[in-house]
Structure formats: C-alpha cells, structure tokens
Amino acid sequence: MYAIASDPNPLQDFCVADKHSPVLVNGFACLDPKYVTADHFFKAAMLDTPRKTNKVGSNVTLINAKQIPGLNTLGISIARIDYTPLGENPPHTHPRATEILTVLEGTLYVGFVTSNSNNTLFSKVLNKGDVFVFPEGLIHFQFNPNPHQPAVAIAALSSQNPGAITIANAVFGSKPPISDKVLAKAFQVEKGTIDWLQAQFWENNHY
C-alpha cells in the first residue's frame, strides 16, 4: 500500500515567478532568490485612475502573478472594476477563486446563482463602502443601476490566477462555434436566434 502526501502551504518565504523558465509547472517555476528584488513584488498599477470601458460598460483591470511575479504561489490577486452609468460586469465565473468585492464609488446591484438544481439567486444593492462575497466557481455579476453616475469597485480574489469565464462570450463566442442546433435545444429558442447571437462581437472586458 502506498500513500502520497503534500504540504498545501508554502515551504519557503516566496517563489517569485520565473517567466523565462522552460519548466512547466502548475503556476510558474521559482526564480533563484539571489536574483529577486523589491520590484518583483511591485507594480505601478495606477489603480486610482479611471479606466476606459467597453460596450457592456465595464473594465476589469486584474493584477495577478503575470503582472507581479512575487504573487506566484501566494494565492491572491486584486482587480479594479470600472462601471459606466448603467454599465455591468456581465454574468461570469472564476473557476479558481472566491471573490470579495468592495464598492469605492457609486452603487452596484450584485448577485450570484447557486449550482443545479436549485439555481438560487442571492442578490443585494451595494453602496459606497459595502462589501460582498462571491463563492468560488459560481456565476455572478455586478450592475450599476444609476443612469447618471459611474461606479468603481476593488475586488480581491483567492488565487494568483483566478481565471474568468464570461458566460455569453463562452457560449455564443467560442472558437470554433458551438453547433447552433445544440444551443437552440439548450436555450429552447429558434436556430435563427442562436445564429444572430453567434454573429455578434462578444467583447472581453477583462484586461
């Protein structure tokens, strides 16, 4: 009988990402500590600066281990999210992270949906200073209901690379496309409706 065990916690002070290493690991290989500097833990990200938004009215500026190599193996990242008036961060999921969101400016209507078979919606209207949690892997969204004022939020995520799957983009904008017959059956609509949806430009709002 054999047993395999591992330590889920870091076994050293840090493991700065070596982006040039040919070694393929889950994450990044470690840079030799003798070459590590303070700049590996820093980025002049200007997260206090408003961002340009796209046609859904939002912009997610993610800071993860790709931008700050010192985040490698630390299991955390951060994002600034800008919303235009009536803008939204459309329904999406983070397959590898729980998210905790803080509203810095404005008002947001937010929510998440539980898994099958209940598909229960938990939603709340948040004001400046409010905090809301989105559990790992669940579909969630944020919407700015104010037609006159933008909104800004900061989100912390429990992974150095949380990933993001925007539902509409994945379903209707996949490459190659999912069969319109499959989607028409799944959504219980005419095939022409699916063809129209697949013909749209599904823009990414994660930068």
Side-chain angles (χ1 to χ4, degrees), residues 111-138:
F112 66 85
V113 180
T114 61
S115 54
N116 297 351
S117 60
N118 289 339
N119 297 135
T120 303
L121 170 65
F122 290 88
S123 64
K124 194 84 176 168
V125 174
L126 307 182
N127 297 303
K128 183 176 179 178
D130 289 343
V131 176
F132 196 81
V133 174
F134 304 104
E136 180 176 341
L138 298 187

Side-chain angles (χ1 to χ4, degrees), residues 156-174:
L157 300 110
S158 62
S159 171
Q160 70 179 52
N161 183 26
I165 302 170
T166 303
I167 307 307
N169 297 41
V171 173
F172 300 115
S174 67

